[in-house]
Amino acid sequence: MKIEKLLKNKFLYYAALGLAALNVLGYVTQGSMPCILAFGVTYYCAHSYTKNRTLDIFAGLFVANILFGCGRVKE
């Protein structure tokens, strides 16, 4: 029950929104369209199932950065 209350917290939502904005801005500066698309598609799919924006943003960030590998630094 505490997790549901935490996910509905507006401050956590604003923090997730800021983190998502920084990530998307980073993808744009790198010119990485697949990363932007992975984030957007995952956000849309998660929003279709959960209707919780905070959880949707975290799902998009997880798929784009961890599973898709967009957060890697390339030398």
Side-chain angles (χ1 to χ4, degrees), residues 1-54:
M1 290 207 196
K2 289 185 179 185
I3 293 176
E4 292 175 13
K5 188 176 180 180
L6 180 66
L7 287 175
K8 291 182 181 179
N9 188 345
K10 69 176 181 177
F11 296 116
L12 181 64
Y13 169 68
Y14 290 137
L17 194 62
L19 186 63
L22 287 175
N23 272 306
V24 170
L25 185 65
Y27 301 152
V28 169
T29 58
Q30 290 179 351
S32 182
M33 276 309 275
C35 296
I36 296 170
L37 289 174
F39 176 77
V41 168
T42 306
Y43 176 85
Y44 177 75
C45 291
H47 188 69
S48 297
Y49 288 109
T50 64
K51 305 293 188 215
N52 186 335
R53 291 183 184 166
T54 305

